Amino acid sequence: MFKDDNADKDTINSAEEIYDVGTFCQITSLFTVPAGQNSEAATTAVLYPHRRIKMRSLIKPNYTGVKEGDTSKVEAAAVEATLEGEPTEKAQEESVEQKKPESEDNKGDVVASFEETVADSHKLEKPDFYYEPTAFLRERPVTLINVENIPEHPYERTNMEIRALVSEIVNTFKEVASINNLFRDQVSAFSNSQNSGNVGDEPGKLADFAASVAQAESAELQEIMEEEDMQTRLTKALTALKKELMNAQLQKKIVSDVESKIHKKQREYWLMEQMKGIKRELGLESDGKEKLIQTFQEKANRLSMPEAVKKVFDEELSKLAHLEQAASEFNVTRNYLDWLTQMPWGQRSAENFGIKHAMAVLDEDHYGLKDVKDRILEFIAVGKLRGTVEGKILCMVGPPGVGKTSIGKSIARALGRQYYRFSVGGLADVAEIKGHRRTYVGALPGRIIQALKKVQTENPLILIDEVDKIGKGHNGDPSSALLELLDPEQNNSFLDHYMDVPVDLSKVLFVCTANMTDTIPRPLLDRMELIELSGYVADEKMAIADRYLAPAAKQLSGLESVDVQLENSAIVELINKYCRESGVRNLKKQIEKVYRKASLKIVQDIGEDDVLSEAKALTDEGKAAQEEAAKDETDVKETSQNIANETTEKPRVALNVPSSVHVSITKDNLADYVGPPVFTSDRIYETTPPGVAMGLAWTQMGGAALYVESIIENTLSYSSHPGLQQTGNLRPVMKESVSIAYSFAKGVLAREFPKNRFFEHARVHLHCPEGAVPKDGPSAGITMATSLLSLAINEPLDPTIAMTGELTVTGKVLRIGGLREKTVAARRAGAKMIIFPEDNLSDWLELPENIKDGIAGKPVGWYRDVFGLVFPGLDREAANALWKKELKKPKGASARKALPQREEGEGEIEEAEEEE
């Protein structure tokens, strides 16, 4: 064997190129492999090994061969076969010795025989002609060498280490054979070749066989072949065999892992194919991905997708067809196609623009609200003429409980549109409006796209509730995201982040609700058309309670077939003494409370022993469940089986109250059901003292009467300075109104009553009651000025006069808002006259007659008009002197101590009057 593993040649030029120990083999057969398309012809030789040999000399291949019968060159050829580096004489001696019969000493030299231990037993006579066996190779490029046999090195058969090594090799053979089938066959063939002998008796052959079957390095195998010491040889062979065992174990593990994965995949595939076959037999499903693609295509064919959407759909469908179902992108694409095909592209519901139908629906669902209904009917009439109502965004603004949300639902019912509602109150994530990117896990489109998917029409009515309470978080500003949604010029190509295709929302009728417009962003408010709902007056509340609230509450309380009467007087009492807010939500709660109390009273009066007993209410299933539950006394039910036995679908039935029961709720016994009245009177003052004026304010709950009170803090005393103190939890706008009213009142007093020095000597305290309630707004200027002037001239006001309007320093009365709510509040407070700015005259004329009934409206442009209305027939001469008496009037011990100073001051005042 070549020392260089990469060497590949047929002749040897130097003995250093090869190992000097090899194997003497016999060629038993030859197989010729024909030349292929890309390979040359080759020959395969099968060798049978006999013994180990060692090279003695290399015969140089630099001479020609000897022809048969040529005896003259035989000796010369033999002489040329010399050892490398030896003299020619020695070679000649060896050549002569070679012609002699072999003796016992040179028995190991190679002869033309395959028997290792058999030698010539007879002497060869010197022939006339000597035949050289390898002479025919002299003419060919074949390397010849002289070799000697390597006999087995003697060893002790009783050596325990050799025995142990033999046993370990045999055990290792068994382990490898149990793993590798090919190895098992080799071991079996080796055992049969021993002729039923013990392999332990010939450890050399065992070591050679171990090395021959081990997949070791060539140098390592050569080292085992050259080793003569039996123990060392066995050790090296065992090492190579152990490596083979480790290789077989690793190979077995790899094969096992691969097979387990393959078997798992094959099992899953087999089960999936079985499941598909079962589903196909049942008609539940055909082939997976192909059926899915076919379903998407069928859905898309039924829709009128725009060209841009159709292009995206085709691209995504082609992408899905080339994706494996196990890929993560497969489900993302599938969900996206699912949303694309579930959108109502080109699908619209038939609308009803009938005015009579709309009026019937609105009157059926709501009482009153004439201006709101008229605005909706105008909206529908325009749609009837145009054929569509697109391009308008309605926003209904009003206090809680006036029916804004229910009006939106009634509009949808009147138009025959699908209805969808969602609230944006407290919404702080833009993704709720614009959707998430598809790259996010669990991404979804925005609420608008979800609404279109649910209603399955392009022209629904979408109600966006609580638009004034929208939040603003770290994920963007949702109110800004609503701009694109609610702008008629932009929403025809609304772009959702998830859909990523333009969606036409111009066919959608958007209706928004809000309690106030102050917190709605200005750009958003500019895109909406406001419809104000100011609330209900007492007679409207009465009709609503009688038609809607009372019957619903009675049915909800289980008294639908029972003679329980809620008298009109009780409802009026509820409205006046318990529910003064603009809406009817609190009135609904109070009526439900009345009927609940009536239910309890009926059950307690009749008794539970006979008519309304629990035994009569329980069904057979309910009794069985009750008995089963009584067996388990633990607090927590641990097993689902017990819980299933303790529950039933219909455990009990409703009980019928006897027809002999009669309950009547009147004004007199109403307190037994809802407690003492919350509001004891319509207004704070039945008769107002000087300095008190009744103003009107707008609140989130509607309108309210806002009194302004002014008093004198001190009498005429030079120990304090004149001025104004204000209280009542006033906000910045009202504080400015107080300052303006004070300055204006001093100017009026100086012009109209020049001898009245009230504000020059008095320290005034102005207060608005209910100081715990914050107050703000530009509508209390004339009320504050009237209160201050009433105190200055000591003239009380009519308690039935209410006023509202902002005041400038020159006396101009400015326009205010919420006149309807304020009129309702004035009527509730018992006012008979309302003074309001002249600029609000159109608002007053639009008010329903039932609200203005019994109230006189007085528009004013300047404060002098207000002064003439609140102080009719005033004696101006008397008003000049009244202030002296008011300031000089003793008020306790502190006033008496300051009396000398007041007298001194009085003299100064009289001197000033004489000079005038």
Side-chain angles (χ1 to χ4, degrees), residues 157-170:
R157 292 183 177 275
T158 59
N159 190 333
M160 299 304 295
E161 293 186 0
I162 293 178
R163 289 186 177 182
L165 289 170
V166 170
S167 299
E168 183 61 26
I169 289 176
V170 172

Side-chain angles (χ1 to χ4, degrees), residues 8 28 107 110 178 190 376 415 471 652 771:
D8 184 14
T28 60
K107 186 178 178 180
V110 174
S178 65
F190 173 73
I376 295 172
L415 291 173
R652 59 186 300 123

